[in-house]
Amino acid sequence: MSRIHVTTTINGDETEYLCEPQDTLLDVLRDELDLTGSKEGCASGDCGACSVMLDGRLVCSCLVLGAEAEGRAVETIEGMASGEELHPLQQAFIDKAALQCGICTPGILVAAKDLLERNPDPTEEEVRYWLAGNLCRCTGYDKIIRAVLDTAADMRGAA
Amino acid sequence: MGKLGHTGTPAPHDSAIKQVTGRADYTDDIPEPIGTLHAYLGCAEVARGRIEGMDLSGVLAAEGVVGVITHEDITGHNDISAVHADDEPVFPVSEVEFHGQPLCAVVATSRDLARRAAELAKIEITPLEPVLTTREALAAGGPDVTAPLKLERGDAAEGLKSAQHRLAGQMEIGGQDHMYLEGQIAFAMPGEDDDMVIHASTQHPTEAQMIAAQVLGVPANAVVVNVRRMGGGFGGKESQMNLFCCVAALAARKFGQAVKIRPDRDQDMTATGKRHDFSADYEVGFDGEGRITAVEAQLAARCGFAADLSGPVTDRALFHADNAYYYPNVRLTSRPMKTNTVSNTAFRGFGGPQGVIMAERMMEEIAYKLGKDPLDIRKANFYGVGERDVTPYHQTVEDNIIARVVEELEESSDYRARRDAIMAENAKGGILRRGIALTPVKFGISFTATWYNQAGCLLHVYKDGSIMLNHGGTEMGQGLNTKVAQVVAEAFGVDLELVKITKTTTEKVPNTSATAASSGSDLNGMAALDAAEQIKARLVAHAAEKWGDVCNDVQFADGKVLCGGEEFGWREFIAQAYADRVQLSAAGFYKTPKIHWDRAKGQGRPFYYFAYGAACSEVEIDTLTGECRVLRADILHDVGRSLNPAVDRGQVEGAFIQGMGWLTTEELWWDEAGRLRTHAPSTYKIPLASDKPREFNVRLAEWSENPERTIKRSKAVGEPPFMLGISVFEAISHAVASVADYKTCPRLDAPATPERILMAVERLKR
C-alpha cells in the first residue's frame, strides 16, 4: 500500500510527513519526526505515556493514526517549554522531585497542562482523577499531585 | 537546593530537566543507524509439550522479513540462566515449558512487520500435562527448581507442644508484575571481529555481558553493554534482560546489522518473570499475652520452569519470615517449586515481602484469638535490645530501633483514638466499614550472595577541573546517580554541577553486581568515595611536596582548596596539579565488611545492617461490593542519615504505593491452560493517582543514623518501604472483621481485590 502524505501542525510548526496507513501518531512522532519525548508504555491507550494534544483535546497518540493528524494541530512535550524557559509545571516537577524514572513524566505534564488550562483552580480530588489515565510506577503520585496543585496556585497568583 | 548540592541536601534528580522536556534518552530513543533491523519473538501457545517440528516458511515469505533466529543459530552455549543452572535456554530445543515461552525470533525491516510475521510460525507441539500451581506441585511431591533452605533455632516442635495456645494457618500470597513503564528492550550493534555493543535497559550490565558472550561463544571482552537510564526496573530488569540482549546480539551477528528488540506490553508480560506467588503454611505457639514461643512454617513458591533467582528469593522469604519479631524456637523451610509457568524473578523486596506478610498474619491471628489490639501483640514480640535479639539465621540484631519508630508513629498517627472511633462507627452497622492497622518492617541489607557485595567506580578529574563519574550501578529512576555524584562533589568540596554522570558501561567498570537488593548507593557511593579519596591523597601529597609540610592538611571546601594559609580556586589547583604531573584519575573499589553466610548450616551474618519503618493505614470498604479506598496513611521510615531527603522520600512513597498495589488491585491470573490472562494494563491494575491515600503523611526518621560505617551513615531505601503497604492489607482485614464483631480473624489471601474482600465478608456473615 502506498504511503500517505500528511500535512499537519506540530508544536506550532507546519510539518509534512509520509506514513503507512497503519502507523500510529506515536510511531510517526517517534520514528519519522524524531520527537521521542512521547513514550510507548502499553500501545493500547491504558497508560498515558504517549499523551499529546490533538486540536486541543488530550489523546493517547498510540490510539490515533498518523494519517488522522492531517490538517490538525498536535502539541507534544517538546513544545511545552518556550525555548529554554520551562513551563511552570515543568519547573515544579523538578523542584518538588515529582519524577523518578521520568518515562511517564512527559505524558503527565501534557495531561496536567491541559487540566490547568481547563480548570485553573482544581481540587486535590480533581487532579487525582484527571491524572488517573496516566500510570506512574515509581513515585506513588503524591509529589506529582502536589506539584500540579502548587503550580495552579502560583499561576493563579501570577495571572 | 542546599549548599553546593552535597549529601543531605535534596538535590534534584540529575536528569530532571531532560526528563520534563522529553529530551532524556532511553534505549528506544537512541537514533537507529540506517539499515537497523527489528526482532520479535515467536512464542509457544501451550504450557508444556514436546516440540516436534517448526515450519517457518510462512514467516520467511512474509513482507520485510530478513530471517529467523532459532536455537540452531546459537553459536555459543544455549543458556541464559542468571545462576548458570543450565535450565533456561534462549530458545528450547525439544520441550516447551510454559505458555508464552519464546521459541524463535523473527527479524525484519520494521518492528511491525517482524511482529506480524511472528504470528505465521507453525510450530508442531505434542502437549504434555502441565503443573501450574504451587499447591499442585507440592501435592505432586516436586520437583524443587533449586535447593530448598531450612532455618532452625531452638526446638520448634517442643516449643509448639508446650505452648499455652497454638494456632495453624495458611495464606496464599499473590505475585506481581513489575509494570515498569518502559518495557524490555535491547539494541545490538555488531563491530569488527567478534565485537558487539549492546544498549539495553538492564539493571545488571555485567550479567547481560557475560550471558551474551556465552551465547555468542565469544569472550566477555568482545561484548560491551551500555545503559544510560531505565524507565523503571524494580527487579524486572535484573536477569530478564538476558534473553533480549542475547536475541538482539545473535541477530546482529547473523545479519551483520544493528538489531533492536522491543516486545509489546503483552509479550513483555507473558514472556518475562514476575514476583513469586507463595503458599504459606504456618503454626505458631504463644502465651496468654500473645508472646510467641515457637513458629514452624513452610514457604512454598511458584518459581516457574527455571531456577533464575528463585533460590535467593525463597531464601530471603525465610530471612524475613520473622519481620521484626523474636521467635524463641523456630523452624522455617522454603520450597521453591518447579511449575510450567514463566520463570519468576527478582522484584523489589526479593521474597522478603512474602515472608513479612506471613509474620503479620500470625500477629493478627494471635490478636483475634486473645481479643487484643494487634499492635499490642506486635509490640510484645519485637526483638529486644541486648536480649531476645537473635534471628532464625543466628544473626544478632544489633541496631534495633523498631520500638521507637513504632511508638513515634503510633503517637503522630493518633492510632489508638482513631481505632476506637472507627470501631465505634462500625458498631453502628453501616454498609461502609472502616479498618485501621499499624505494621512495622525490619529489612536486612546486603546481597545474601556475599560475593555480590562489591562495587567499582572510575573517576576522572579533567585538567579544567570538571569531573567525570562512572560507577557500576544503574539508574532506573531511584536517584542513584544523583546520590553518588553528591558524594563525589562533597569529597572534593565542589559544586554538584561540576560532576558529570555518564552511562553505565562494562567498558569502564568491570565485574559489577546488579543494581539490586537496595544496595546501589551503599556499594557505589563507597566505591566513588574511595576513588575520590585516592585522587585527594595524591593532591595532598603533591601540595606537601610543592609547598612544604604546612600543606599536609589540605582542605577541599566551597569550590576552593585551602593549603597552608593559602587559598586556591579548584580549577586553578587542578590545572597546577596536572602541570606537575599528578595522576587525576582513579578506580575506586568497595566490599561490604562483616558479612558471611553458611547456607548449608543456615547460620551466619548475611546482613550488614537492618533498615526499619512503620506505616499506619486506614481504609474503608463497601460490604456490598467489596470496593476499597485508602483514606489515610502515615509513614515513619528509617533511612539512616539521608543522602538526599527528596530522593529518599520519593522511594518511600513510591514503594508504599507499589506495596499497596501488590496487596490490593494487582492480580495475576492464569487460566486452566496456563495462559496469563492479565497481560497488559487493560487487565492488570496497578495503583492510579486516584488510588493514592486521601491523606498521606510521610516522614523520615531524622534522628536515625546507621551505626555501621556506611556511606555517610545512610541506609538503603529501595526495598524496605515496600512492605509498609502491608498496613493497608491488615486494615482491610480489620474492616472485614467488623461484620462479625472482630471475633474471627478473617481468612484473607493477597491480593485483597474487591472480589476477595466481598468473599471474606460473606464468609463472616454466614
Side-chain angles (χ1 to χ4, degrees), chain B residues 617-763:
Chain B
S617 293
E618 179 179 343
V619 304
E620 183 175 75
I621 64 165
D622 183 324
T623 53
L624 295 183
T625 64
E627 283 169 284
C628 169
R629 293 195 301 172
V630 181
L631 302 178
R632 175 173 165 183
D634 293 69
I635 291 170
L636 182 61
H637 194 76
D638 157 39
V639 299
R641 201 185 282 165
S642 177
L643 288 173
N644 183 322
V647 163
D648 286 343
R649 266 189 74 110
Q651 286 295 300
V652 173
E653 292 175 6
F656 173 84
I657 298 291
Q658 203 172 61
M660 178 186 96
W662 168 50
L663 295 172
T664 55
T665 58
E666 297 184 36
E667 185 175 33
L668 288 165
W669 201 83
W670 282 266
D671 65 16
E672 311 74 41
R675 241 178 319 191
L676 179 65
R677 293 300 208 167
T678 49
H679 49 72
S682 53
T683 42
Y684 182 80
K685 297 297 180 187
I686 70 167
L688 309 175
S690 48
D691 297 324
K692 185 193 77 81
R694 271 38 177 178
E695 187 181 341
F696 198 22
N697 304 310
V698 178
R699 281 192 305 135
L700 303 177
E702 278 164 15
W703 44 265
S704 173
E705 69 171 42
N706 198 334
E708 298 296 344
R709 296 173 63 85
T710 52
I711 184 73
K712 307 288 172 189
R713 303 281 182 174
S714 65
K715 287 191 181 183
V717 69
E719 294 165 296
F722 180 85
M723 280 142 281
L724 300 174
I726 292 171
S727 60
V728 173
F729 185 83
E730 299 304 357
I732 291 171
S733 172
H734 187 222
V736 170
S738 75
V739 303
D741 203 23
Y742 314 100
K743 292 205 168 55
T744 316
C745 182
R747 168 77 198 262
L748 196 58
D749 291 330
T753 56
E755 185 182 7
R756 283 232 175 88
I757 292 172
L758 194 58
M759 291 191 308
V761 165
E762 290 298 318
R763 268 198 301 274

Side-chain angles (χ1 to χ4, degrees), chain B residues 507-518:
Chain B
E507 277 183 318
K508 284 193 179 164
V509 179
N511 309 326
T512 58
S513 297
T515 307
S518 309

Side-chain angles (χ1 to χ4, degrees), chain B residues 153-201:
Chain B
R153 241 195 64 251
D155 187 338
E158 179 52 37
L160 285 171
K161 210 185 321 168
S162 59
Q164 194 179 341
H165 302 278
R166 63 196 276 191
L167 58 82
Q170 255 186 15
M171 185 180 190
E172 302 300 318
I173 304 158
Q176 185 176 29
D177 189 82
H178 305 83
M179 194 56 87
Y180 28 59
L181 263 276
E182 177 211 34
Q184 306 273 343
I185 179 166
F187 188 14
M189 299 180 190
E192 57 182 33
D193 302 325
D194 286 334
D195 291 357
M196 189 66 66
V197 174
I198 306 172
H199 297 273
S201 183

Side-chain angles (χ1 to χ4, degrees), chain B residues 45 47 82 350 369 416 512 546 549 553 582 636 684 715:
Chain B
E45 291 181 358
F350 205 70
K369 178 108 175 187
R416 301 280 178 182
T512 58
K546 191 171 174 91
D549 283 348
D553 178 32
V582 176
L636 182 61
Y684 182 80
K715 287 191 181 183

Side-chain angles (χ1 to χ4, degrees), chain A residues 22 30 34 36-37 39-42 44 46-47 49 77-78 81 84 86 90 93-94 97 99-106 109 124 127-129 131-132 135-143 145-146, chain B residues 12-13 16-17 19-22 24 26 28-29 111-112 116 176-179 181-182 230-232 234 262 265 347 476-477 646 650-651 653-654 657-658 666 681-682 686-690 692 694 696:
Chain A
Q22 73 274 18
R30 292 184 53 82
D34 201 26
T36 54
K39 308 297 184 188
E40 181 185 306
C42 68
S44 56
D46 293 306
C47 80
I77 186 65
E78 285 87 352
E84 289 305 300
L86 298 178
Q90 292 173 309
F93 270 53
I94 297 172
L99 57 85
Q100 288 177 20
C101 86
I103 201 138
C104 70
T105 309
L109 283 166
E124 198 254 7
V127 175
R128 272 196 285 116
Y129 279 88
L131 293 178
L135 300 183
C136 169
R137 192 53 151 164
C138 298
T139 64
Y141 302 106
D142 196 57
K143 290 179 295 183
I145 293 161
R146 284 171 204 260
Chain B
H13 193 283
I17 291 181
Q19 285 164 327
V20 298
T21 51
Y26 299 79
D28 198 36
D29 303 332
R111 179 168 173 263
D112 187 49
R116 286 167 195 274
Q176 185 176 29
D177 189 82
H178 305 83
M179 194 56 87
L181 263 276
E182 177 211 34
M230 281 168 273
F234 315 113
R262 178 169 70 85
R265 179 61 61 178
F347 194 146
M476 59 195 107
Q651 286 295 300
E653 292 175 6
I657 298 291
Q658 203 172 61
E666 297 184 36
S682 53
I686 70 167
L688 309 175
S690 48
K692 185 193 77 81
R694 271 38 177 178
F696 198 22

